[in-house]
Amino acid sequence: MKRRALILSVALALSGCGPSTPHNTGVYLLIDTSGSYNRQVRQAEHITLYALSRLQSADSIAVARIDTGSFTERDIIAKATFDDRPSTANQQKRAFASHVEKFIDQSSPAAYTDITGGLLQAIEFLNEKHTARKEILILSDMKEDLAKGYVRDIPLDFRGFDVVALNVTKLRTDNFDPRQYLSRLDEWRVRVEKGGGHWRVINDLDHLDGLL
Amino acid sequence: MSMTTLLTFTPWPAVSAAILLILLVAALYFARDTAHQAIHVAASALARGLKVASLSVTHAQQNLAARNREVLLAAGREAKERIVEREFTRVGDTVRKDLAGYPVMHRRLSEAIQRIEEDQQKAVEVPPEVPGWTEAVKVVADLDARNAGADILADIHKSMVKAHAEAMDAWRKASSERHALLRRMMPDWRLIQETLGRVNKSVDSIIGRSQAIDRHMEEYEAIVRGEDRAVAVLSSSSIVYFFVSALVLAVATAGTAVNFTLIARPMAEMVGGTNYIGAWRTADIAALVIIMVEISMGLFLMETLRITRLFPVIGALSDKTRVRMMMTTFMILLLMASIEAGLAYMREVLLLDEMATNALLRGDSAGEAVNAHLWITTAAQMGMGFVLPFALVFVAIPLETFVHSLRTVVGLLGIAVLRALALVLRLLGNASRHLGALAQRLYDLPLFVPLWIENRMRAAAREAAGAQVTEAHT
């Protein structure tokens, strides 16, 4: 009986000391810099600051732009994994905010909009970080416009991802035919959910409480 | 075989049913004695089993009660021994203190009394001498010469007046000296009075303590004799101690929670804020460990001071080792308290840093949030961080009381549970016996016709036997 109790207590102690499951969050913010959306880029600062205020030590964040070809590390404007120590994490947050602000001030419109490439880059980045929670935020009108030669008709693996489309503005053509807007959003929803992800749209940037 | 098939062995189902019923009743009637015996045996066996179980539980309850009584008496004996020992120590201290001053006091009293005696002797009133002139005046007055002694008498009178005046002066002077001597006695009298008052106070104190010791000794003897009254008093005291100590421990737990809040955040700076052990943050566990170590040091400190007696090993250490251990634990505690004060300061710094960062992220100005009186909270946090570890030292006292009284309270609860269980088992045993009787009656219910016939036949047989006996007598 005593032996069993000893084995049980050792097993419990070992299970307690084993590698613990991650509790951190990874956020990847995609900013559409195409001509049709460039005017909205200023909103990215607001969202970045909000995300930074919600993130804690060991969380990861990256901000990247969507341009003609977005499946590249060069489009990542800033990235950070916050330190274990809260004071260092705070310093990193301040530096990150400053970096993003600088980018927004110097942002120039892109000719094309490669949303899928940006999403692929986001998936790759967050999978590398092995975060418990993965959030991809897209600040875009969700109108993909690929340059000639770019192949983006590929399945995306969104398992474990939350994809949030933010401030999805209506295009001029959407005003003539709202079905275009609705079908555009629906297509993205289907694509994300088909990839195993969770899709959400938040257009009111003053109420980001549900985000993160 | 279905019911329908059974009812078809005659062309008329009603007749078939009646025949079957009669057969069933007949079968039950013939098996009645056996069935009654079976029911009786089953019910009795169950009742016996439950009774045995009830007796066993009662026995266990009695054993537990005896054990609890022993524990109570032992605890009471130990407590009384400590109280009596403390009272004797106090009496010893009082006697030692007074006896140490006794030679001085005795000398002062003797000196004062001697001075008084001397002064008293000096102050004795010496009666004035009777003037010798009286006899001379009488002799002169008796002279039979005319006016022969008038001059002499006048001279004598003059001399007498003069002598009287001188005597009065001398008497006044002597009185004055006597009064001065008597006045000088006053401080000595006061000294004697005060000294004796002090002695009286000490004696009263010793008498009071000896009465208390007598009372405690009576109670101790009652405990040693194992009187029921003593056990009842100890039991009631134990329950009171249990609840009081539980209350104080709850307060101490709240203090621990405050302490934890003070140091948990800065601990994240030391061990990282994202590491987990199981489901708990390493920083939180580290903060808890620090608090637990402080409480442990507090326990050891109280043990080495012999205020608590949770660890007999510490109490049995030599005085030198014990004092060394006391100093060591105190130094560790002081170190921990200083660390906590530092962590509390760090907490405030981190909080300000976080507030500034959040203000920046919100787009506010960071400088606006700084309060000029913020140093008060910082100082208060540091003070709490330093004081709380020392305050938690005193947890050892209610903890000891809680541990000791818990034994008794758990024992009392166990006795109550076992007693209730024994009662329930006994009730179930009785119920099973009565249920057996009820089952026998229920068995007889469908057999009322054959039983009635049987009773009638028996009555007829008894009547016939009675008639035969009567005929034989006649």
Side-chain angles (χ1 to χ4, degrees), chain A residues 15-18 20-21 23 49-50 52-53 57-59 83-88 90-91 93-94 97, chain B residues 265 268-279 346 350 353-358 360-363:
Chain A
S15 68
C17 296
S20 55
T21 51
H23 295 74
L49 293 180
Y50 176 79
L52 285 172
S53 70
S57 295
D59 289 345
D83 196 79
D84 259 2
R85 287 165 299 173
S87 58
T88 314
N90 283 335
Q91 287 171 7
K93 283 180 185 179
R94 287 199 284 263
Chain B
R265 185 189 281 261
E269 282 292 312
M270 289 166 69
V271 296
T274 55
N275 299 328
Y276 282 79
I277 296 175
M346 192 63 200
L350 287 173
D353 183 46
E354 197 170 317
M355 278 166 64
T357 306
N358 284 337
L360 187 80
L361 297 178
R362 280 197 309 270

Side-chain angles (χ1 to χ4, degrees), chain B residues 317-335:
Chain B
L317 288 174
S318 67
D319 281 355
K320 197 177 171 185
T321 317
R322 200 168 50 79
V323 170
R324 274 185 193 163
M325 192 174 170
M326 185 173 70
M327 293 305 291
T328 310
T329 48
F330 181 76
M331 289 310 291
I332 293 172
L333 205 59
L334 189 68
L335 195 70

Side-chain angles (χ1 to χ4, degrees), chain B residues 229-244:
Chain B
R229 192 179 60 82
V231 174
V233 169
L234 288 172
S235 175
S236 143
S237 303
S238 197
I239 291 168
V240 171
Y241 293 152
F242 175 77
F243 283 109
V244 171

Side-chain angles (χ1 to χ4, degrees), chain B residues 75-213:
Chain B
R77 205 161 49 231
E78 194 182 335
K80 280 291 164 205
E81 279 168 4
R82 282 171 75 170
I83 292 169
V84 171
E85 189 184 329
R86 194 189 61 205
E87 289 291 341
F88 271 122
T89 310
R90 282 178 182 167
V91 169
D93 287 345
T94 311
V95 169
R96 201 176 303 118
K97 196 174 71 183
D98 289 344
L99 283 181
Y102 180 74
V104 177
M105 186 186 74
H106 183 260
R107 187 171 49 78
R108 287 174 70 185
L109 273 176
S110 300
E111 284 173 2
I113 290 166
Q114 200 175 353
R115 278 198 302 274
I116 288 169
E117 276 178 1
E118 284 170 4
D119 290 345
Q120 200 180 10
Q121 277 176 0
K122 285 178 193 168
V124 170
E125 193 173 357
V126 182
E129 287 180 17
V130 180
W133 293 106
T134 317
E135 295 295 322
V137 169
K138 194 179 176 210
V139 171
V140 172
D142 289 343
L143 285 176
D144 195 19
R146 190 185 296 173
N147 294 326
D151 293 336
I152 298 167
L153 283 172
D155 287 340
I156 289 169
H157 176 256
K158 209 179 282 177
S159 299
M160 276 186 80
V161 168
K162 191 180 172 188
H164 177 257
E166 283 172 357
M168 281 301 287
D169 284 345
W171 183 78
R172 282 198 191 99
K173 196 178 171 187
S175 291
S176 165
E177 281 173 4
R178 274 201 304 280
H179 283 148
L181 285 168
L182 287 170
R183 250 198 316 280
R184 215 169 65 184
M185 281 185 210
M186 287 296 284
D188 291 328
W189 281 117
R190 280 201 202 98
L191 178 72
I192 291 167
Q193 195 179 4
E194 279 172 17
T195 311
L196 290 176
R198 275 205 301 278
V199 170
N200 189 38
K201 207 172 162 185
S202 299
V203 169
D204 280 349
S205 159
I206 290 170
I207 289 169
R209 292 216 181 283
S210 64
Q211 281 170 350
I213 289 170

Side-chain angles (χ1 to χ4, degrees), chain A:
Chain A
M1 189 66 192
K2 277 183 181 174
R3 199 175 167 182
R4 278 184 192 170
L6 185 69
I7 291 168
L8 188 68
S9 56
V10 169
L12 279 171
L14 287 175
S15 68
C17 296
S20 55
T21 51
H23 295 74
N24 54 348
T25 304
V27 177
Y28 198 97
L29 174 62
L30 286 165
I31 306 168
D32 189 347
T33 57
S34 65
S36 61
Y37 200 78
N38 197 43
R39 279 173 299 177
Q40 301 290 332
V41 167
R42 187 58 59 184
Q43 303 286 355
E45 191 183 358
H46 174 61
I47 294 162
T48 308
L49 293 180
Y50 176 79
L52 285 172
S53 70
R54 304 287 292 183
L55 295 178
Q56 304 293 328
S57 295
D59 289 345
S60 297
I61 185 170
V63 176
R65 65 170 164 262
I66 298 172
D67 56 10
T68 306
S70 306
F71 185 52
T72 168
E73 282 81 6
R74 281 179 307 168
D75 278 351
I76 296 177
I77 301 152
K79 60 181 176 181
T81 298
F82 298 126
D83 196 79
D84 259 2
R85 287 165 299 173
S87 58
T88 314
N90 283 335
Q91 287 171 7
Q92 286 176 299
K93 283 180 185 179
R94 287 199 284 263
F96 194 94
S98 162
H99 204 84
V100 171
E101 192 181 357
K102 206 175 283 174
F103 160 74
I104 287 164
D105 291 340
Q106 296 165 357
S107 163
S108 56
Y112 294 94
T113 317
D114 177 18
I115 298 174
T116 308
L119 283 171
L120 275 168
Q121 186 61 40
I123 291 167
E124 197 177 61
F125 176 85
L126 291 177
N127 280 338
E128 275 178 15
K129 294 292 173 190
H130 297 291
T131 52
R133 195 174 158 198
K134 295 164 186 151
E135 294 261 355
I136 300 174
L137 312 178
I138 312 170
L139 188 69
S140 166
D141 54 15
M142 301 308 291
K143 174 77 177 171
E144 191 159 52
D145 183 15
L146 294 171
K148 197 177 177 185
Y150 286 86
V151 179
R152 292 292 182 260
D153 188 16
I154 47 175
L156 297 169
D157 186 4
F158 283 113
R159 276 175 297 178
F161 281 83
D162 281 338
V163 182
V164 187
L166 296 160
N167 193 31
V168 184
T169 52
K170 282 90 181 174
L171 302 171
R172 185 172 292 174
T173 50
D174 295 340
N175 203 9
F176 292 118
D177 185 1
R179 282 177 299 179
Q180 286 183 14
Y181 175 78
L182 295 173
S183 66
R184 197 164 69 240
L185 283 181
D186 204 47
E187 275 170 23
W188 279 110
R189 184 186 61 76
V190 169
R191 203 170 172 193
V192 168
E193 288 179 354
K194 203 174 170 183
H198 181 252
W199 170 259
R200 226 168 12 136
V201 177
I202 298 176
N203 278 330
D204 186 1
L205 294 184
D206 290 333
H207 295 92
L208 292 171
D209 300 341
L211 192 66
L212 298 172

